[in-house]
Amino acid sequence: MEQKTNATWVVYLTFVVAFLLAIVPFPEWALNYRPQWVSMVLIYWAMALPYRFGIGFAWVAGLLLDILDGSLLGLNALALAVIAYITLSLHQRLRMFSSLQQSGVVLAMTGLYLMMTHWMKIAANQAVTSDLFFLLGALSSAFLWPWLFVLLRQMRRGFSVR
Amino acid sequence: MSLEYRIAAFVVLSLAVMFADIRFDYLDRVRFALGFLTAPIFWVADTPARVSYWIDDVFVSHSDLIAENQSLREELLFARRELQLLAGLASENHRLRALQEASASVEGRILTAEIINISSDPGSRRVLINRGAQHGVEAGQALLDAYGLMGQVVEVLPFTSWVMLITDSRHGTPVQVNRSGERAIARGSRGEIPEIELEYVPDTSDIVVGDLLVSSGLGQRFPKDYPVAEVTSVVHDPGQPFSIIRARPLAQMDRTRHVMLLELPVKEAEVAPVNGSVPDWIEVTQAQEPEAGVMTDPATAVDAGQAVPLQDAAVEPVAGDTPADPAAAQGATAESTPAEDMPLPSELADIVPEAPAGQD
């Protein structure tokens, strides 16, 4: 009964920080390398607390990201919901993985996320670029994942989020 | 098993939302409401830039201030001199226009704004400015800086607005070659370099490197004769039906933070009372346009032009029939900028006197 408060605000705080990092201005040459912070934070929480943060949560987060990006409403929402679905169906295995294996999965998932948003933008006439440099964001995300994972795990244990 | 159903439901929901957002405009209200939630995030994200500007302002040495003051004074003197010339040109242009019974093209109010964010999407070139519906911004308004046209407002949120730059590949700007009067559509380039390309220009057209492109005002969006870009390369490829012409935008897209929003020209009558209550708007028009032929002394015109735009923003709306020609309005624009701590446009002074010549 003493665990009545389960520190949900920590999760919201990490998402707010992820949103901030997602829109902080980058120099032109580094735009393609921007790590997908929101996807990574979402993957972590969906993996650690699959019964608390699911597809609906991811969808709402994606909707907010759409507003922040000024992109089509529902575009990031759809992509993040798919990411959440994959994470939820893999979460038992993901927890057993070493951090290198997890990075590989994050690489695939953020790559899929970038690809999906790119396809949708092209379908909706919101983008015309045809090169694949935008996938570099997945690489930087996978590179940062081990550190982010440790950080978020410390936060989850320290604040006993459950 | 329920996981599959749920993801399917959300995918369908997302597709429906996207479809509705493309096709209909009732989701704009949702966007607008969510804008209240996201405004603080933008505010926090902009904090480092604001702090660095503040530090630049506060921790500046006395001698630097004196030097800056000196150079600003010189620029002001220079701009004043140009304005004297302008006034003469303005009256002459006004007389000619009166002869032709052509209507005036640029006037209205401007609103100063600051760029607080740039789009994180590498495929588009958009910026976020710190003015929104609360300040009377509307979609379609032109964004200028002191050197040239920057873009137009595409989405208005409560406290911020998204502006599509003219270098975005989905943006077309109707332009005119200042020297020859040739018209073209300038489209943002698809490449990595932020520049614009002229589309469907025949090989026989009279455009050379160094030509100044000004907005032609044909789209009814942008002010007429505002500088847009300078032609940097002209390639006549015998295998292509049209020449390949690239131009460099004159606006300082990636260097400036201070910009100006121009009021929509068409809706002036309806918008005026609303904006009258919003104190941020600055009048940019020639105060009292003298009768054609009366104004022979440029100095008086300059005095009249100086006094009014700087006074206050809440003066009543411009009478719709006050004719002001573009050159004079630009002069007034240039003049009102020091009040808002903006850099004096030294390039503008070079450009403006040529403007009337281009449209004759």
Side-chain angles (χ1 to χ4, degrees), chain B residues 39 42 45 55 95 103 113 122 134 136-137 144 152 175 191 202 222 243 248 250 271 274 286 301 318-319 352 357:
Chain B
F42 280 122
I55 287 174
R95 278 197 297 275
S103 59
Q134 299 284 323
V137 177
L144 322 166
Q152 63 172 302
V175 294
F222 300 122
S243 30
R248 178 182 59 85
L250 291 168
V271 175
V274 180
Q286 270 230 312
V318 202
V352 167

Side-chain angles (χ1 to χ4, degrees), chain B residues 297-313:
Chain B
D297 183 12
T300 57
V302 169
D303 285 340
Q306 270 172 357
V308 174
L310 291 180
Q311 270 178 351
D312 61 350

Side-chain angles (χ1 to χ4, degrees), chain B residues 104 107-109 268-269 272 283 285-287 315-324:
Chain B
E107 66 179 21
R109 277 172 290 262
E268 198 164 298
E283 290 283 347
T285 115
Q286 270 230 312
V315 284
E316 57 182 26
V318 202
D321 59 346
T322 317

Side-chain angles (χ1 to χ4, degrees), chain A residues 3-83:
Chain A
Q3 289 298 332
K4 205 172 175 183
T5 62
N6 42 24
T8 316
W9 61 271
V10 175
V11 181
Y12 291 122
L13 184 72
T14 55
F15 268 100
V16 167
V17 173
F19 282 137
L20 273 176
L21 290 171
I23 60 160
V24 160
F26 260 41
E28 184 98 1
W29 57 267
L31 270 185
N32 284 323
Y33 294 92
R34 183 193 288 275
Q36 301 301 307
W37 295 105
V38 180
S39 325
M40 286 199 288
V41 171
L42 178 76
I43 290 171
Y44 178 79
W45 289 117
M47 181 175 83
L49 305 167
Y51 298 105
R52 297 278 315 278
F53 303 102
I55 296 171
F57 187 84
W59 195 79
V60 174
L63 218 54
L64 284 178
L65 196 57
D66 283 328
I67 297 289
L68 285 175
D69 265 359
S71 61
L72 197 61
L73 217 54
L75 191 137
N76 283 306
L78 171 56
L80 280 186
V82 171
I83 294 294

Side-chain angles (χ1 to χ4, degrees), chain B residues 67 69 111 115 143 161 198 211 234 285 326 331 355:
Chain B
N69 205 347
L111 175 66
I115 294 177
L143 191 78
S161 314
L198 297 194
D211 270 352
V234 179
T285 115

Side-chain angles (χ1 to χ4, degrees), chain B residues 277-301:
Chain B
S277 64
V278 179
D280 297 327
W281 290 85
I282 302 164
E283 290 283 347
V284 181
T285 115
Q286 270 230 312
Q288 46 203 52
E289 186 72 37
E291 292 296 319
V294 172
M295 192 177 73
T296 47
D297 183 12
T300 57

